[in-house]
Amino acid sequence: MNLSAIITALGGRHAIQQLLNVGPSAISNYLTRGHLPERAKPIIYAALTKKGYQIRADDLEILACPPATSSQPLHHDTHSGKRILLIVAGGIAAYKALETARQLQQLGAHVTGVMTDGAKQFITPLSLAALTGEKCYDSLFSLTDEAEMGHIRLARSADLVLVVPATANFMARANAGIADDLATTILLATTAKVAMAPAMNPAMWAHAATKHNFATLRQRGVHMIGPVSGDTACGEEGEGRMCEPADIAAAAMQLITPQNMTNAQDITNGRNHNKSPLAGKRIIVTSGPTIEPIDKVRFIANRSSGKQGHAIAATLAKRGADVILISGPVNEPTPDQVTMVQVTTASEMLAACKAALPAEIAICAAAVADWRVQSISDQKLKKPEDPEAGMTLALCQNPDILAHISSASNRPKLVIGFAAETKNLLQNATKKRQRKGCDWIIANQVGGDADPVFGSTLNQAMLISANGVDEWPQMQKADLAERLADHIEAEVTR
Ligand code: C5P
């Protein structure tokens, strides 16, 4: 029984859950075991037969798909002229690649399948070939494949190479330039656009190695579609879930549709990010505090919650910007569709910002610690025996990240800093804008008992630029982010 193919044929996991009246973890268990419980078999058999599939009754093997209907073209006679090479990598979400192929065809694309060895553990080349009406290529060294279509020609024949699912392993191999199978060789050989729909376990997605591979691939121009948060195919909940096939197909077609051939790099959920002038613009946002270690257990920190910086990153990403959010430790959830770089110290934040440049805009909302301990003890510092004895920590200044970005040779066109001041807000913030060389300063008064700002969802600020001061009323941090984004949009379209 090919359970993945059955799930796809019946419209996905959610449809099966409803059909069998079970929860998502039950489906994960069935997939792990590779078969369905006895009680489910007649229900599934009936549902597949009703959809027009020919099924072997004893093991529910799909023998033939339903005939194509006019709304579901299976062959390329009706295609839009766009050719997509669909690479299926070996992850549990591979079953969704079949539905993606179907959706792409419905949007008029001509799809040719390529599968890694890993993918064949989840779905068969035959099922993809049956859906696309085309041979599914799976071997770099197959004489037949080379005779029919060499891998270079295959790589060059497409308008788009689309990887569904892009597993952690596949992204790592692609990033390293490894070409040890047909799929990765195609990635090196192709001159077409490349898009990937990452899908993996949330812990794997959160791993620094994966983040690095994702960010580097994206820097090299790979268009990333997702991932999103939710119930992942491996049965866990969190970020790493692959976008839905219909959304992947819509995003892929958008990439190769002439009117949409902009530099918008990430397209998710079929949203057209090209509506905002920020679409596709690379924006660095720093957020949260930095934490500077004193010894093995103690550190210097501040009260920044990261709420404002994260809200700005979320708003810009929603408007289609390619956001790199570089944040110190916070409890805020990572906004959807941002590239998250987690750091601890100011030095790490500076290094991450340097690595993220060049960018068109930088917004430094992080509360960077001004000082760090000159020499960090690798042991827990002991309290002196003498209860009267004091303790002196030698501190040195941290690098000023905002000033560094403002004076970088590859300086973003628009650099925005924040100034949290306890007194003389306007004067101090105005001086700060000049001293740090940034274009705008968002200044806010902090330290008031009634309105702490740090950790609050509310903020009241003024935008200070060379053109003067724009005072904003108190509002939610999310609204302040929208307001700032509106000002940035106006600036970039001037
Ligand atoms: O000097 P002050 O910390 O008040 O400046 C605030 C602004 O400067 C913020 O935009 C903050 O992100 C940035 N900053 C920085 N690096 C530092 C200190 C502050 O980027 N070391």
Side-chain angles (χ1 to χ4, degrees):
M1 173 191 307
N2 184 340
L3 193 47
S4 299
I6 292 174
I7 290 173
T8 304
L10 290 178
R13 287 171 65 120
H14 191 64
I16 301 248
Q17 274 170 233
Q18 287 189 323
L19 195 63
L20 300 179
N21 198 18
V22 294
S25 51
I27 307 293
S28 301
N29 288 338
Y30 303 160
L31 279 162
T32 310
R33 290 201 302 265
H35 60 82
L36 289 163
E38 286 306 313
R39 73 149 193 98
K41 287 183 180 169
I43 305 170
I44 297 291
Y45 181 82
L48 285 169
T49 316
K50 202 169 153 201
K51 280 190 165 240
Y53 286 86
Q54 275 182 40
I55 314 296
R56 202 159 54 207
D58 52 349
D59 62 356
L60 297 188
E61 194 60 37
I62 298 176
L63 302 172
C65 297
T69 66
S70 54
S71 66
Q72 293 180 330
L74 287 183
H75 300 287
H76 48 98
D77 318 341
T78 51
H79 72 77
S80 61
K82 296 298 174 197
R83 305 179 73 93
I84 295 182
L85 209 52
L86 178 65
I87 294 179
V88 187
I92 199 161
Y95 73 91
K96 286 188 180 174
L98 295 175
E99 181 55 22
T100 307
R102 190 192 290 274
Q103 297 279 348
L104 286 167
Q105 288 175 312
Q106 284 183 8
L107 295 173
H110 173 194
V111 181
T112 305
V114 172
M115 282 170 66
T116 65
D117 281 347
K120 287 189 275 178
Q121 304 291 323
F122 296 95
I123 58 172
T124 63
L126 195 61
S127 48
L128 194 50
L131 263 174
T132 59
E134 273 264 344
K135 177 178 169 57
C136 173
Y137 296 85
D138 62 349
S139 171
L140 182 57
F141 301 111
S142 154
L143 281 178
T144 346
D145 287 2
E146 286 297 316
E148 281 174 20
M149 184 181 272
H151 61 267
I152 300 288
R153 228 182 89 210
L154 192 57
R156 303 268 164 87
S157 66
D159 296 293
L160 176 72
V161 177
L162 174 64
V163 186
V164 178
T167 60
N169 177 50
F170 192 86
M171 290 202 294
R173 292 197 296 141
N175 184 31
I178 291 171
D180 60 353
D181 64 1
L182 181 60
T184 46
T185 306
I186 285 172
L187 281 189
L188 284 190
T190 191
T191 49
K193 289 186 172 201
V194 177
M196 296 187 180
M200 68 201 71
N201 168 278
M204 293 172 77
W205 171 247
H207 197 282
T210 309
K211 293 284 181 210
H212 171 78
N213 294 329
F214 177 86
T216 316
L217 286 167
R218 194 150 76 150
Q219 267 164 19
R220 286 194 206 131
V222 173
H223 301 264
M224 292 295 180
I225 303 169
V228 292
S229 294
D231 190 13
T232 59
C234 63
E236 285 183 27
E237 182 132 356
E239 206 177 348
R241 178 186 160 87
M242 194 167 81
C243 287
E244 290 307 313
D247 297 331
I248 297 171
M253 291 306 284
Q254 206 177 20
L255 283 171
I256 49 174
T257 306
Q259 65 268 27
N260 289 324
M261 286 199 174
T262 70
N263 60 349
Q265 220 182 33
D266 291 325
I267 301 170
T268 307
N269 297 337
R271 273 198 322 250
N272 184 355
H273 288 157
N274 303 319
K275 282 183 199 144
S276 163
L278 301 180
K281 294 224 181 302
R282 188 174 168 82
I283 306 182
I284 298 171
V285 180
T286 71
S287 182
T290 67
I291 289 191
E292 311 295 333
I294 297 171
D295 62 15
K296 273 269 181 263
V297 294
R298 303 182 182 94
F299 54 81
I300 300 173
N302 62 60
R303 294 182 195 280
S304 171
S305 62
K307 281 189 181 2
Q308 187 62 78
H310 277 53
I312 292 167
T315 299
L316 297 172
K318 273 196 216 121
R319 297 187 189 203
D322 175 13
V323 178
I324 299 109
L325 175 59
I326 301 171
S327 177
V330 291
N331 289 322
E332 287 297 294
T334 301
D336 280 348
Q337 302 313 310
V338 305
T339 300
M340 180 77 198
V341 183
Q342 282 167 344
V343 297
T344 304
T345 64
S347 306
E348 288 170 10
M349 188 172 273
L350 175 62
C353 287
K354 280 183 180 170
L357 285 170
E360 286 167 78
I361 299 164
I363 303 168
C364 293
V368 183
D370 289 326
W371 308 96
R372 68 175 185 277
V373 175
Q374 216 163 44
S375 136
I376 302 163
S377 169
D378 57 4
Q379 300 299 327
K380 184 181 171 196
L381 291 171
K382 299 306 277 180
K383 198 163 63 173
E385 299 276 311
D386 176 2
E388 301 299 318
M391 166 74 175
T392 305
L393 278 177
L395 302 177
C396 60
Q397 275 198 43
N398 265 330
D400 192 308
I401 300 163
L402 177 58
H404 180 93
I405 294 176
S406 298
S407 62
S409 56
N410 50 2
R411 183 194 198 277
K413 283 195 204 89
L414 181 62
V415 181
I416 304 170
F418 273 69
E421 301 289 338
T422 51
K423 59 178 184 190
N424 300 337
L425 179 62
L426 184 57
Q427 295 90 318
N428 286 340
T430 306
K431 275 193 214 141
K432 195 163 284 180
R433 189 183 81 81
Q434 282 153 0
R435 196 173 66 244
K436 302 208 179 205
C438 58
D439 302 295
W440 298 353
I441 280 271
I442 308 298
N444 50 1
Q445 189 92 34
V446 292
D449 291 341
D451 177 21
V453 177
F454 284 126
S456 161
T457 60
L458 289 169
N459 203 354
Q460 182 172 3
M462 54 177 84
L463 189 161
I464 303 171
S465 70
N467 299 328
V469 182
D470 188 11
E471 283 200 48
W472 297 346
Q474 188 180 57
M475 60 184 95
Q476 293 289 328
K477 286 180 176 172
D479 293 330
L480 194 143
E482 296 288 346
R483 193 151 181 160
L484 178 60
D486 290 345
H487 277 262
I488 297 172
E489 281 191 353
E491 180 68 18
V492 299
T493 46
R494 267 202 319 153

